[in-house]
Amino acid sequence: MRAIPITVTALAAALLLTACGSGGSGGGDDTGSKNTDGTACRIGDLGVQVGPANTAPAAGDSGDVPVTLSNHGAQCTLQGFPGVELTAGSTSATVPADKAGAPQKLTLAKDATATFTLTYVRGKEGDPAGLAAKTLKLTLPGASAGKSFPWSYGPVQGKKNATDPNATVTAFTQAGD
């Protein structure tokens, strides 16, 4: 008789853990498309955690948004930079790679993690040269499918205009042990 409540509790805990590992700051669309490289990581096999962020408190300040990827599928590789796009309504901006760090090829075993960081400069509310971003879309190298998450870190300052964000994204790095 006692085995049933323990089984139900264990099942509920497993479902909660599964839900936590896939979204971070929000869920997202995930078509899980195949990359062109047969060993490349697929976004559909990864849990994505966005944040917690070191949010830029005021216009002109810099903020960092760490993103952690956890491999829930077979061993795969990440090479290059993640694709990051910020969107506000019908306007979108691709975040450029931070060329200060050279990308390396990472092999992720099942349950291994990798991370990257999006650094941005907060813009002024209502500034037409900034982007009042609402959505962050992440893609992996060589794939068009991605996951989208809510952006809640304020407007992003543009260098020249809203589609040229004052932001960069680092290459993937191994996380954990």
Side-chain angles (χ1 to χ4, degrees), residues 41-70:
C41 293
R42 293 174 30 163
I43 195 82
D45 292 335
L46 301 177
V48 181
Q49 176 73 34
V50 176
N54 175 17
T55 305
D61 292 338
S62 292
D64 296 310
V65 182
V67 178
T68 303
L69 307 170
S70 302

Side-chain angles (χ1 to χ4, degrees), residues 1 7 11 17 24 42 63 122 152:
M1 289 295 199
T7 303
L11 178 60
L17 287 173
R42 293 174 30 163
R122 186 171 182 142
S152 59

